[in-house]
């Protein structure tokens, strides 16, 4: 299956569900902010397996994470505990970028609208609910939205419609 078909399908689902998003310059990635939150989810696409497409939902939970030899084990233990208790996605440390990321992948070839919206909702809220708690526990890092506020706006949003998950209850971990 073509990545382009799946990219267009995701674009259509987001538009139909009135999800606010920004498009990348190449129109092949989508940035979806969590409404009234401090997180955003990046949706991008990768070839996988025998002609299939993987849809990756990624959220930078914390940036500017200071990783020292002394703090590395503590950070990884906290992320391991989050991964043990979370039923959705996986947290990891990208030490090269000093960033803690939440990632969840979907196979795109048989994607259903409800599957994408539920995954997007869950990943966004999980990242949003985790950033403050994790920053306090590990004693380092900045919420990605706070870093973006410092640097100024990077993207303009495609529309200003109401996100599909507005009014839904926070997820339980």
């Amino acid at each position: 299956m073509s990545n382009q078909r799946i990219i267009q399908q995701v674009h259509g689902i987001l538009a139909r569900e009135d999800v606010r998003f920004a498009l990348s310059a190449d129109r092949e990635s989508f940035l979806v902010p969590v409404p009234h939150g401090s997180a955003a989810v990046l949706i991008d696409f990768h070839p996988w397996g025998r002609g299939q497409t993987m849809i990756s939902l990624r959220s930078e939970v914390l940036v500017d994470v200071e990783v020292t030899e002394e703090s590395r084990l503590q950070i990884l233990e906290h992320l391991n505990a989050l991964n043990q208790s979370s039923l959705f996605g996986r947290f990891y440390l990208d030490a090269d970028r000093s960033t803690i990321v939440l990632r969840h992948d979907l196979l795109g070839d048989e994607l259903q609208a409800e599957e994408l919206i539920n995954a997007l909702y869950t990943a966004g809220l999980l990242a949003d609910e985790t950033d403050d708690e994790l920053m306090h526990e590990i004693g380092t890092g900045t919420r990605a939205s706070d870093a973006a506020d410092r640097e100024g706006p990077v993207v303009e949003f495609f529309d200003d419609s109401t996100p599909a998950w507005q009014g839904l209850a926070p997820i339980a971990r």
Side-chain angles (χ1 to χ4, degrees):
M1 293 288 164
S2 163
N3 274 2
Q4 280 304 313
R5 182 193 66 79
I6 294 167
I7 292 168
Q8 290 172 1
Q9 180 183 4
V10 168
H11 187 268
I13 291 169
L14 296 176
R16 247 187 338 274
E17 296 292 330
D18 294 326
V19 174
R20 185 176 181 223
F21 63 91
L23 282 167
S24 62
D26 63 6
R27 303 181 65 82
E28 293 190 357
S29 297
F30 305 90
L31 182 66
V32 180
V34 173
H36 312 293
S38 57
V41 178
L42 177 68
I43 305 172
D44 56 6
F45 307 84
H46 310 281
W48 188 79
R50 296 181 181 158
Q52 294 185 336
T53 299
M54 181 74 65
I55 301 171
S56 293
L57 308 176
R58 289 182 298 133
S59 182
E60 292 183 346
V61 179
L62 294 177
V63 298
D64 304 327
V65 177
E66 188 175 321
V67 182
T68 64
E69 285 198 31
E70 296 80 30
S71 68
R72 184 180 189 85
L73 180 59
Q74 176 196 15
I75 292 168
L76 294 175
E77 285 176 347
H78 280 289
L79 296 178
N80 189 49
L82 283 171
N83 286 330
Q84 287 176 326
S85 65
S86 177
L87 300 175
F88 193 86
R90 63 188 177 278
F91 291 88
Y92 65 91
L93 172 65
D94 182 341
D96 293 336
R97 294 179 42 236
S98 302
T99 303
I100 293 175
V101 178
L102 170 64
R103 179 173 174 163
H104 182 73
D105 296 314
L106 302 168
L107 286 174
D109 296 281
E110 302 297 327
L111 183 68
Q112 301 290 315
E114 188 173 291
E115 176 186 20
L116 175 65
I117 295 301
N118 287 334
L120 182 58
Y121 164 76
T122 304
L125 284 179
L126 184 56
D128 189 51
E129 291 176 350
T130 305
D131 55 9
D132 291 322
E133 173 187 322
L134 189 58
M135 187 169 49
H136 176 74
E137 287 178 5
I138 66 173
T140 183
T142 303
R143 296 182 313 177
S145 65
D146 294 339
D149 289 345
R150 276 195 322 253
E151 297 167 13
V154 183
V155 295
E156 286 187 33
F157 287 96
F158 180 75
D159 66 28
D160 60 354
S161 58
T162 304
W165 57 65
Q166 182 172 334
L168 296 176
I171 58 172
R173 278 190 284 148

